[in-house]
Amino acid sequence: MTTRPSRTSAAHRAPLAGVALVAVTALSACGNPFDASELDGASPAGTPQFGEIREEVFSAMLAADSVTISGEVQAGDADLDALFEGVDDDAVGDLQITGAVDGTNSEMSFTAGGNSFTQRAVEGEEYFRGEDFAALLISELDEDIAEAVDESFIEETVADAWVQFTDGGDGSVFSAADVITTWQQELDGEELGSMSAVTEDREGSPVWVYRADEGDTEFVVAAEGEPYLLEVREGESFYQFSDWNESPTPEAPESIITLDEIFAAIAEDQGWPTEEITENNDDSEDGESAGDDSTTTT
């Protein structure tokens, strides 16, 4: 059976693939990155308040072809302290998204507390970096199987390879559009709209800098050309947007392996029928589906 992480219908996926989904979608639930409790006064002449350009900012970003997002976020804010055992909630993790804004032909990665995962989408296919996937798979194996299977065997099986998922999904990963849309929803309301800006020069280009919470929160918008968001800073978290419409897109990995091939390798190594591994995976998926139905039906 072949499955993959997806941003939709997660409860109907096998748990070993769903772990990656939880990690990825948790990043979109970091809450409002801007505290409007203390806002500056009116903008200087010639600089717009945020509410005057908000619609144009997000429309321009979502219409862009590509972007690179480099960020730092606390594990607790992204719920990664609950996902990865041993990760302190104060640990700051690194987020990287490159390529198409809509998540197709793009790559995203997150690293925190010694744990990491990287996903890639190319031409409708999704891939998960093997060494990261091995750690997630090992943590999600049935207890009896986990006792029998040598962890190093799984690691060696996927070493230097990418796990390919092809079950008819949309062929995209957690994307810049997901990040942008989350902020579009959060940065709404009168108070946020009244945030003022000062004009500064950064890296040779004029920008509008909006600050709140006595300067602890800051976001930077391009003052020339399209009003793209360039930087966001809130407490320990920091995001930088660059390479608008010029972000490199990833290529398909040269070395790939499927879930079926991983399960078959485990079964062969242990002398088990391949069907036994497949049935266990099917049972896990059925359990997830049943759990989802019971929690969503009211």
Side-chain angles (χ1 to χ4, degrees), residues 32-41 187 191-192 194-196 209-219 232-237:
N32 187 346
F34 302 105
D35 183 353
S37 59
E38 297 186 43
L39 303 175
D40 296 335
L187 298 178
E191 285 189 309
L192 291 169
S194 66
M195 282 192 293
S196 63
V209 181
Y210 296 86
R211 295 186 175 95
D213 194 22
E214 298 184 338
D216 288 339
T217 295
E218 175 182 286
F219 66 105
V232 174
R233 186 184 301 278
E234 194 274 326
E236 295 294 324
S237 298

Side-chain angles (χ1 to χ4, degrees), residues 148-166:
V149 178
D150 187 349
E151 293 183 6
S152 63
F153 175 79
I154 296 178
E155 294 169 348
E156 292 171 2
T157 298
V158 299
D160 302 319
W162 289 72
V163 182
Q164 183 178 24
F165 300 90
T166 53

